[in-house]
Amino acid sequence: MGLLSNKVERSEIKAGDHIYSWRAIYAYSHHGIYVGGSKVVHFTRKRDASSNIDSFDSSADISSKAPPSVCPTFPDCGFQRPNSGVILSCLDCFLGNGSLYCFQYGVTPSIFLAKVRGGTCSTAESDPPEMVIHRAMYLLQNGFGNYDVFENNCEDFALYCKTGLLTLEELGRGRSGQTSSAIGIPLAAIFSSPLNLLMASPVGVATVTAGMYCAGRYITDIGVRKDVIKVAVEDMAAKLGGTVTAVEESSVSDGDVTVLEGEEQKQR
């Protein structure tokens, strides 16, 4: 277990793990669910309908390296339904040139607060791997709504797949740990500023700001928040206005993961 994040080797991850990789010199991280067979289901902006090639948007928290049109790992890399941001990639294309990290669940409050950087762990408990994979594969077929870097991003997708928890706020999504960190730093500075007059030293100011930042991160963690409910993935798709897919199984090459394909029909 690393101090700031949890770097792992490929041999250490298991199907159902929430994995991530840092981008742009640790400015942000991209998250996904490892489903086995060197494959990852993750969430980004919807595919450009004007292009015949699945592509990543470098402005989002996604891989900085677009997957090749013909992946050397397996031919179904880049599988993505129309009008959906959920995509199936091989592990190599998901990581790009980045290292592999594993998101941790069920950590104690002390460990959570020790991880100063958000988006690396949660106090929430993970559901069994088979349920996590089911959610990821179901959302691969039905979508996860519109991508939003602050309210519905790749970490929110992975958190939902692992826990089934959504907030009761508008749009029904949670807020990712790295987003909470990004927002929490300036807010902590702003809200601590009235206390500056009461503190004689820069150390005191820094201590108050850091304390407010950590407290803000903790109370927004999905495992602590009280405004969350457990939502079945089938109900989740209906709430997002997605489509229901008539199930017809077709095997994805080079692995034990099955992608469900079939004729789409509108949700009644």
Side-chain angles (χ1 to χ4, degrees), residues 49-71:
S50 64
S51 173
N52 293 325
I53 300 176
D54 294 332
S55 62
F56 289 112
D57 182 348
S58 60
S59 66
D61 58 340
I62 53 176
S63 173
S64 58
K65 178 181 179 182
S69 57
V70 178
C71 177

Side-chain angles (χ1 to χ4, degrees), residues 229-249:
I229 56 173
K230 199 93 166 181
V231 178
V233 69
E234 295 79 6
D235 296 334
M236 167 89 168
K239 288 184 178 182
L240 292 173
T243 57
V244 174
T245 304
V247 176
E248 177 182 333
E249 296 186 356

Side-chain angles (χ1 to χ4, degrees), residues 173-233:
R173 327 285 209 285
R175 173 166 287 176
S176 67
Q178 60 180 330
T179 300
S180 296
S181 292
I183 295 175
I185 292 174
L187 285 182
I190 291 172
F191 287 118
S192 64
S193 58
L195 301 176
N196 291 351
L197 297 176
L198 303 178
M199 292 174 284
S201 70
V203 174
V205 175
T207 301
V208 171
T209 302
M212 295 188 70
Y213 165 70
C214 291
R217 277 187 56 236
Y218 182 71
I219 64 176
T220 57
D221 178 55
I222 197 73
V224 176
R225 296 177 63 161
K226 302 300 182 183
D227 60 336
V228 295
I229 56 173
K230 199 93 166 181
V231 178
V233 69

Side-chain angles (χ1 to χ4, degrees), residues 84-155:
S84 172
V86 184
I87 185 170
L88 177 72
S89 301
C90 72
L91 184 57
D92 288 332
C93 290
F94 172 81
L95 293 174
N97 295 321
S99 298
L100 175 63
Y101 296 82
C102 190
F103 196 98
Q104 297 169 297
Y105 286 84
V107 302
T108 63
S110 58
I111 291 178
F112 181 88
L113 293 173
K115 302 277 189 178
V116 178
R117 188 66 181 269
T120 62
C121 63
S122 173
T123 60
E125 296 290 341
S126 170
D127 286 329
E130 57 271 18
M131 177 59 70
V132 176
I133 296 171
H134 168 69
R135 290 181 184 129
M137 299 305 290
Y138 190 93
L139 294 174
L140 177 63
Q141 290 297 321
N142 294 275
F144 193 63
N146 294 321
Y147 178 92
D148 186 285
V149 68
F150 293 110
E151 294 185 354
N152 195 40
N153 59 38
C154 61
E155 188 183 341

